């Protein structure tokens, strides 16, 4: 018969190895119970890992599109607010011009001139609205203030200087000359026609607008882009500036009643075109808002599908993980107890 001897040291090392393995497994299971997915997806899925990586990439792309769509929605909403302000100012100016028809009172004409000037300032402020550091109505030139201030005094704005120069060139005298009383309706209409040509040509971008005619576009889904801005070169904005400048500069002059009627009729006509044009831009951006909302709905559905697919591949049974944690805790507790007792098995303690 042969007796075998096992040292306390070998038993302690074996138990220490068991404890270390259990602790490592404990960390892994605790992570899985918290995250709800395998701690090492590659080791579990093997060849299917590439598929889950592709799903993660698609999911991040969808979430990124939803995030940028939120900014696009805010930009469109801010643009709509400013266009609404312009439209209201145009309608108010139209009301002033219609109410002014046939009035010759100097006080009332000056009051109307003041109201039209206020409308022009409101229009300029709304056109220069910025959002998140970008000008909304500058087209792709979003870092440049789109509309120059007509009332700038030092130096005098190019638009005001060009108007005065055009008046002097056409009539041969300036607005303060008593000769304005001699302007006949046909000559006034000829001047207005010449002025309109300057507002609808490249002169507009030399004197008034710094915006690009190319609007910003935003990708709202994997296959769809929408117009996400408009610009101050749009017809509605040109006609609004023209109608307000005519009223501001000419209605209160000491001109004949017939010439004033020509100015009033032209201003009303231009303000009508302005309201139609600005409301048209609002409609375009409204369509973009609806398309962004539809894209977000589609993206949300795709995100849900992708998230479920990833969960099916990487997910674990959290209840099973919790049970494994409890079991490992019990095993560790028992291992600690045995290790402590083995350490006390010495000859000195026996004696």
């Amino acid at each position: 018969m042969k007796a075998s001897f096992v040292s306390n040291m070998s038993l302690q090392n074996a138990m220490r190895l068991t404890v270390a393995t259990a602790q490592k497994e404990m960390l892994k299971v605790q992570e899985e119970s918290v995250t709800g997915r395998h701690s090492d997806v590659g080791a579990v899925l093997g060849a299917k890992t590439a598929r889950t990586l592709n799903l993660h990439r698609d999911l991040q792309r969808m979430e990124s599109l939803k995030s940028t769509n939120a900014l696009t929605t805010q930009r469109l909403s801010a643009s709509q607010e400013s266009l609404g302000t312009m439209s209201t100012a145009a309608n108010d100016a139209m009301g002033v011009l219609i109410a002014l028809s046939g009035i010759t009172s100097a006080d009332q004409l000056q009051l109307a001139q003041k109201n039209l000037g206020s409308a022009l300032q409101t229009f300029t402020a709304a056109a220069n609205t910025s959002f998140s550091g970008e000008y909304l109505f500058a087209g792709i030139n979003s870092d440049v203030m789109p509309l120059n201030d007509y009332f700038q005094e030092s130096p005098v704005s190019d638009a005001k200087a060009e108007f005065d120069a055009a008046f002097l060139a056409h009539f041969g005298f300036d607005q303060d000359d008593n000769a304005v009383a001699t302007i006949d309706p046909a000559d006034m209409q000829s001047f207005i026609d010449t002025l309109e040509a300057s507002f609808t040509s490249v002169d507009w971008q030399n004197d008034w607008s710094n915006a690009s005619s190319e609007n910003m576009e935003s990708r709202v889904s994997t296959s769809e882009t929408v117009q996400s801005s408009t610009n101050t070169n749009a017809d509605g904005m040109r006609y609004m500036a023209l109608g307000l400048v005519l009223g501001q500069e000419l209605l209160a002059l000491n001109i004949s009643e017939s010439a004033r009627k020509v100015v009033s009729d032209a201003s009303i006509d231009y303000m009508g075109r302005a309201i139609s044009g600005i409301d048209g831009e609002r409609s375009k951006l409204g369509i973009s808002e609806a398309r962004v909302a539809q894209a977000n709905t589609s993206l949300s559905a795709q995100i849900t599908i992708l998230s479920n697919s990833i969960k099916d591949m990487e997910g674990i049974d959290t209840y099973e993980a919790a049970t494994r944690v409890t079991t490992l805790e019990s095993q560790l507790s028992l291992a600690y107890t045995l290790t402590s007792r083995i350490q006390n098995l010495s000859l000195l303690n026996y004696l």
Side-chain angles (χ1 to χ4, degrees):
M1 181 177 178
K2 183 178 180 181
S4 300
F5 299 96
V6 179
S7 68
N8 288 356
M9 183 62 72
S10 63
L11 287 174
Q12 289 180 20
N13 287 338
M15 196 56 65
R16 190 179 298 114
L17 181 60
T18 301
V19 170
T21 303
Q23 287 177 331
K24 183 178 179 181
E25 182 68 12
M26 174 74 88
L27 292 175
K28 174 185 171 184
V29 176
Q30 284 179 330
E31 178 186 347
E32 289 180 344
S33 65
V34 171
T35 62
R37 64 193 291 267
H38 296 295
S39 63
D40 189 343
V41 174
V44 175
L45 297 182
K48 295 181 180 178
T49 304
R51 184 182 173 190
T52 189
L53 290 177
N54 289 335
L55 290 175
H56 274 291
R57 183 196 58 201
D58 292 341
L59 179 61
Q60 289 175 350
R61 189 179 180 190
M62 300 295 173
E63 290 175 340
S64 176
L65 282 171
K66 277 201 75 175
S67 178
T68 56
N69 283 355
L71 292 175
T72 302
T73 300
Q74 292 173 1
R75 186 191 304 127
L76 288 169
S77 179
S79 298
Q80 288 281 25
E81 185 70 23
S82 296
L83 286 171
T85 300
M86 292 183 200
S87 182
T88 300
N91 278 289
D92 291 345
M94 174 78 89
V96 170
L97 289 167
I98 291 173
L100 195 65
S101 298
I103 292 178
T104 57
S105 167
D107 291 341
Q108 289 183 319
L109 288 172
Q110 288 175 0
L111 179 60
Q113 180 189 35
K114 185 178 180 181
N115 289 335
L116 294 174
S118 297
L120 184 53
Q121 290 176 328
T122 300
F123 166 62
T124 303
N128 289 331
T129 301
S130 62
F131 173 77
S132 293
E134 296 180 341
Y135 288 102
L136 295 175
F137 301 107
I140 59 174
N141 295 341
S142 57
D143 59 338
V144 179
M145 190 170 69
L147 196 67
N148 297 327
D149 181 9
Y150 182 78
F151 295 107
Q152 177 181 300
E153 294 180 349
S154 181
V156 174
S157 67
D158 292 340
K160 171 62 175 172
E162 286 298 321
F163 179 88
D164 292 342
F167 189 96
L168 180 62
H170 188 86
F171 295 112
F173 46 81
D174 61 28
Q175 297 95 307
D176 295 328
D177 196 296
N178 291 330
V180 295
T182 64
I183 299 175
D184 61 59
D187 209 12
M188 180 62 82
Q189 185 61 57
S190 175
F191 170 68
I192 292 173
D193 292 341
T194 302
L195 199 64
E196 178 184 347
S198 70
F199 274 70
T200 56
S201 68
V202 70
D203 290 342
W204 168 262
Q205 288 170 281
N206 293 331
D207 302 331
W208 284 84
S209 174
N210 304 308
S212 168
S213 297
E214 183 178 354
N215 293 319
M216 295 176 65
E217 291 193 346
S218 301
R219 177 167 293 283
V220 297
S221 70
T222 55
S223 59
E224 187 178 12
T225 59
V226 300
Q227 175 186 329
S228 58
S229 75
T230 183
N231 63 79
T232 53
N233 297 329
D235 288 345
M237 300 203 187
R238 295 178 189 239
Y239 285 126
M240 184 161 182
L242 176 56
L244 292 174
V245 165
L246 282 181
Q248 161 71 22
E249 295 287 352
L250 301 179
L251 279 177
L253 293 181
N254 186 29
I255 55 179
S256 65
E257 187 175 347
S258 55
R260 182 173 293 108
K261 185 175 187 307
V262 170
V263 174
S264 177
D265 290 347
S267 297
I268 291 172
D269 177 49
Y270 291 136
M271 293 312 298
R273 298 189 207 182
I275 293 169
S276 176
I278 290 172
D279 288 346
E281 296 301 319
R282 295 176 70 184
S283 297
K284 290 179 184 175
L285 296 187
I287 292 172
S288 296
E289 286 181 304
R291 291 175 63 189
V292 173
Q294 291 173 354
N296 278 337
T297 301
S298 175
L299 287 172
S300 296
Q302 293 179 62
I303 287 172
T304 300
I305 293 171
L306 289 173
S307 298
N308 289 336
S309 297
I310 292 172
K311 186 177 180 181
D312 289 342
M313 296 184 69
E314 299 181 354
I316 62 165
D317 186 341
T318 54
Y319 293 104
E320 180 186 357
T323 303
R324 289 170 61 194
V325 169
T326 303
T327 303
L328 286 169
E329 286 176 344
S330 300
Q331 291 177 351
L332 279 172
S333 177
L334 178 60
Y336 289 141
T337 302
L338 291 175
T339 302
S340 174
R341 290 184 177 181
I342 290 173
Q343 285 177 337
N344 291 328
L345 290 176
S346 69
L347 182 59
L348 292 175
N349 288 339
Y350 177 77
L351 293 174

